[in-house]
Amino acid sequence: KYNVKTNLTSKFNVYNFLTAVALIHELGYKTEDILKYSEDVKPPKGRCETFKVNGGYAIVDYAHTPDAVLKVVTAYNELKTNKVITLVGCGGDRDPLKRPIMGDIATKLSDYVIFTEDNPRTEDPHKIMDDILNGVKKNNYEVIYDRPMAIKKGIDMMEKGDILLLLGKGHEDYQIIGHTKHHLDDSEEVLKWHKEA
């Protein structure tokens, strides 16, 4: 048995960490030597990237499929001490069948949801949102199309112990509207609005 401290959060990252330790051990390294570096391990950009905000945590993650959203929201429900607020959207010109499923999962498992734009591309954002909302059965959400404003709203509504999940874009530092890429980085937005809070 070992006591281990890392910067990784959620159960699935514990499994990832254990897998990495096992693989490195198989390469001939002693477990004790591997674990010396456990606190140096940080998640890659946009993969459960964690920021302390307003007495809680904002998490930026690339989850953009029903299965990924299910896993991330479930994992952070296990860690929450107050509410889980989820911000999520769906990309345009991509599989429309997943949209109502993601809307249902987000509202079913979160205390509150802010639906927003992901990469609308050449598709009408209102059509994308209609598809998402077709799967929603609970009244615990709002729609804010402008993603930076949606992030600001999520941060503004956070209370002590809340977890804000910013899903879908992760490491991406752009948003595709029409055929044009615009600079947009969820992590930068968190830091921007947090500083002004």
Side-chain angles (χ1 to χ4, degrees):
K1 287 186 178 180
Y2 301 91
N3 288 320
V4 178
K5 185 174 181 182
T6 81
N7 296 295
L8 304 176
T9 54
S10 78
K11 188 181 287 183
F12 59 82
N13 270 325
V14 171
Y15 295 142
N16 290 340
F17 178 80
L18 289 171
T19 302
V21 170
L23 289 170
I24 296 168
H25 178 72
E26 282 297 306
L27 292 172
Y29 293 89
K30 293 180 182 175
T31 301
E32 293 81 2
D33 292 336
I34 301 167
L35 295 180
K36 287 178 189 173
Y37 299 98
S38 62
E39 286 192 59
D40 297 331
V41 176
K42 292 185 173 48
K45 179 171 174 51
R47 302 287 179 146
C48 295
E49 190 177 3
T50 304
F51 301 89
K52 289 185 179 180
V53 176
N54 297 358
Y57 295 94
I59 314 293
V60 174
D61 193 80
Y62 189 53
H64 62 284
T65 65
D67 183 61
V69 171
L70 174 68
K71 283 186 169 66
V72 171
V73 180
T74 299
Y76 284 96
N77 266 315
E78 294 173 359
L79 298 174
K80 73 177 182 179
T81 57
N82 199 16
K83 298 186 301 296
V84 168
I85 303 163
T86 300
L87 182 146
V88 68
C90 292
D93 302 333
R94 298 293 187 268
D95 179 14
L97 298 178
K98 73 178 186 181
R99 296 170 185 169
I101 299 168
M102 287 173 62
D104 182 45
I105 290 169
T107 51
K108 191 182 291 179
L109 298 179
S110 307
D111 295 289
Y112 195 73
V113 178
I114 301 171
F115 290 116
T116 190
E117 290 184 346
D118 191 292
N119 290 317
R121 298 183 180 88
T122 64
E123 196 170 350
D124 179 1
H126 294 89
K127 166 67 168 68
I128 297 170
M129 196 60 67
D130 287 346
D131 288 346
I132 293 171
L133 296 180
N134 278 337
V136 173
K137 301 173 187 72
K138 292 178 72 177
N139 188 25
N140 60 338
Y141 71 91
E142 65 183 285
V143 174
I144 302 175
Y145 285 94
D146 183 288
R147 193 172 180 100
M149 289 297 99
I151 293 171
K152 180 181 187 307
K153 174 64 185 285
I155 288 172
D156 286 347
M157 68 186 299
M158 285 180 71
E159 298 174 347
K160 186 174 181 181
D162 283 352
I163 295 174
L164 173 64
L165 301 175
L166 306 160
L167 306 182
K169 305 224 13 94
H171 62 284
E172 294 178 353
D173 61 359
Y174 59 85
Q175 185 176 41
I176 304 172
I177 300 173
H179 295 287
T180 307
K181 274 188 179 183
H182 304 268
H183 181 76
L184 178 63
D185 184 314
D186 283 1
S187 302
E188 287 178 11
E189 293 298 316
V190 169
L191 295 172
K192 172 183 173 183
W193 296 118
H194 176 48
K195 285 177 185 172
E196 294 178 4

